[in-house]
């Protein structure tokens, strides 16, 4: 969801305002109108699934962090991971879900960096789980018209 729906809608508002001016050439206005229609369709699709995607992703990230707390060799990181793994989404507002997601991702990055430096099977297994979740997250966020 990057850019997020609010950014797309703000961009569209600017496009509408600029294209309302009478001196805008018809061809440019037509192009902007087509782009605006496409962006509105994408924004509608992103908006419809945003909360579900974030709730599912936050739960998956918390699960990975809980696993990370069990295998981390850094005591401070372990305490941080335990705290975040035990947190819950207190609101379904997109801003709150996105904020929680960002915090969880920071911890996941720190955990992942630790795991990449290690050669033990426990670390490699969890690293593989992290990569599987990152791929699954990309799939959840893929838009219906995406060629990939």
């Amino acid at each position: 969801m990057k850019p997020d729906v609010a950014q797309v809608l703000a961009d569209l508002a600017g496009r509408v305002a600029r294209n309302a001016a009478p001196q805008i050439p018809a061809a440019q206005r037509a192009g902007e109108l087509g782009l605006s229609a496409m962006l509105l369709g994408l924004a509608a699709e992103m908006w419809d699934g945003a909360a579900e995607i974030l709730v599912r992703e936050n739960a998956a990230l918390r699960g990975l962090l809980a696993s990370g707390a069990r295998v981390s060799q850094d005591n401070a990181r372990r305490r941080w991971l335990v705290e975040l793994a035990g947190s819950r989404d207190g609101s379904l507002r997109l801003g709150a879900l996105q904020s929680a997601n960002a915090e969880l991702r920071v911890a996941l990055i720190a955990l992942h960096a630790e795991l990449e430096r290690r050669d033990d099977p426990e670390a490699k297994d969890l690293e593989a789980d992290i990569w599987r979740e990152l791929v699954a997250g990309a799939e959840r966020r893929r838009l219906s018209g995406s060629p990939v």
Side-chain angles (χ1 to χ4, degrees), residues 94-113:
L94 290 179
L97 291 170
Q98 288 168 333
S99 178
N101 187 270
E103 184 178 22
L104 294 167
R105 284 180 172 278
V106 166
L108 186 70
I109 290 167
L111 172 62
H112 198 180

Side-chain angles (χ1 to χ4, degrees), residues 4-127:
D4 65 24
V5 174
Q7 290 171 317
V8 171
L9 294 177
D11 179 72
L12 286 169
R15 288 176 187 280
V16 167
R18 285 190 304 276
N19 282 287
Q23 71 271 20
I24 301 296
Q28 181 180 344
R29 184 173 288 133
E32 288 283 327
L33 190 59
L35 178 61
S36 295
M38 180 193 69
L39 289 173
L40 282 170
L42 293 175
E45 184 177 341
M46 289 181 341
W47 184 264
D48 184 48
E52 179 179 354
I53 288 168
L54 286 164
V55 166
R56 289 176 62 194
E57 188 165 283
N58 288 354
L61 294 176
R62 286 183 179 103
L64 289 169
L65 297 180
S67 296
R70 290 188 290 275
V71 304
S72 179
Q73 296 175 343
D74 180 301
N75 288 333
R77 179 173 297 119
R78 189 177 305 119
R79 286 189 300 276
W80 182 40
L81 296 175
V82 166
E83 179 184 330
L84 286 175
S87 67
R88 296 291 169 252
D89 292 323
S91 169
L92 293 179
R93 294 181 60 89
L94 290 179
L97 291 170
Q98 288 168 333
S99 178
N101 187 270
E103 184 178 22
L104 294 167
R105 284 180 172 278
V106 166
L108 186 70
I109 290 167
L111 172 62
H112 198 180
E114 175 189 342
L115 297 173
E116 285 182 328
R117 290 189 297 270
R118 293 172 43 190
D119 284 329
D120 57 288
E122 233 176 7
K124 292 303 174 194
D125 288 347
L126 183 52
E127 185 182 6

